[in-house]
Amino acid sequence: MPGYQASRTAVLVCQGRAAAHERLAPGRFADPTAMPLLTADERAVVEQVRDGQTPAGWGDRMAYEMVLRCAELMVPRTVAIDDAVRERRNAQVVILGAGLDGRAWRMPELAGADVYEVDQPASQQDKRDRAAALDGKPPTFVPVDFARDRLGDALAAAGHRAAEPTTWVWEGVVPYLTGDQVGVTVRQIASASFAGSRLVVNYQPKSGAIRSGRLLSRAMSLVAGRTSPLAGEPWRSLWAPREMARLLERHGFTVVRDNHLRELATGLLDPEPDGISSRSGRVAVADI
């Protein structure tokens, strides 16, 4: 057995995208890369969600509900980020903490761009194995151990050109970093960003309801005899919009917009979700 694997959160996010593919917000959301990036075991619950087959057992029902709620979350988040990338069509795109992201393969707007995926070496090796069957131009994989490596140096060694504009995608990563780590990463992004660059960052706002929801999910998983995908990957920092704006502006970025996922879901999902998933996250777009 290989000694590496994708994070459980990355798998859940991919399952959510696979469950939503051409089913939620048809015409606005599609991710044909999501299902092929999953293993057979990981696809099983996705198929149940897509078919609307609610499991009878408590444990299976928990897995089903998590993927269903994640699908609702992924639609507005993905659409907002994709739109921001399309608006600023730079010749370089860097996806930070890429996980099982399929943008390099699925977005035609990136076909002529140099796409770099940055992630931990072990997670990235698992991603490369999973992505072997995908058609299209793969990204340039940049393994980075953030405890030892400098982001700018690793990207430069892979061919990234700091003297040209870059679009940065930072999705689903910020809450798993400490405040200091977020600040260091923003500084490194800014130092490798030429005029005309854009940073699209997804982060979690400060909210007692969201914290309670994660704790409830873990407790219910324990009752169901399952390991929660959230276990072992705790949130380490939450940000008020004004705090995120100050951080970005301190490093030369100007925030163009910053929207809550609930706002972004308006007009996309019908009916609009009213649970914790709809309150989980914001997407900020900032230019330099």
Side-chain angles (χ1 to χ4, degrees), residues 145-161:
D145 182 340
F146 286 96
R148 300 180 307 174
D149 304 329
R150 290 180 56 83
L151 177 62
D153 293 344
L155 281 168
H160 177 259
R161 304 171 300 281

Side-chain angles (χ1 to χ4, degrees), residues 12-13 15-20 23-24 45-55 60-76 269 273 277-278:
L12 178 60
V13 165
Q15 288 175 313
R17 286 178 171 149
R23 176 176 161 271
L24 299 182
V45 65
V46 174
E47 296 290 2
Q48 288 180 322
V49 172
R50 291 183 62 83
D51 293 341
Q53 297 176 354
T54 307
D60 292 338
R61 177 64 182 268
M62 276 297 303
Y64 176 96
E65 291 293 338
M66 291 195 76
V67 171
L68 178 62
R69 302 309 164 203
C70 187
E72 295 174 346
L73 167 67
M74 285 301 107
V75 170
L269 299 177
S277 62
S278 68

Side-chain angles (χ1 to χ4, degrees), residues 248-261:
L248 297 175
E249 290 166 359
R250 191 158 63 243
H251 293 285
F253 285 97
T254 299
V255 176
V256 176
R257 58 182 178 271
D258 185 336
N259 299 104
H260 199 287
L261 290 190

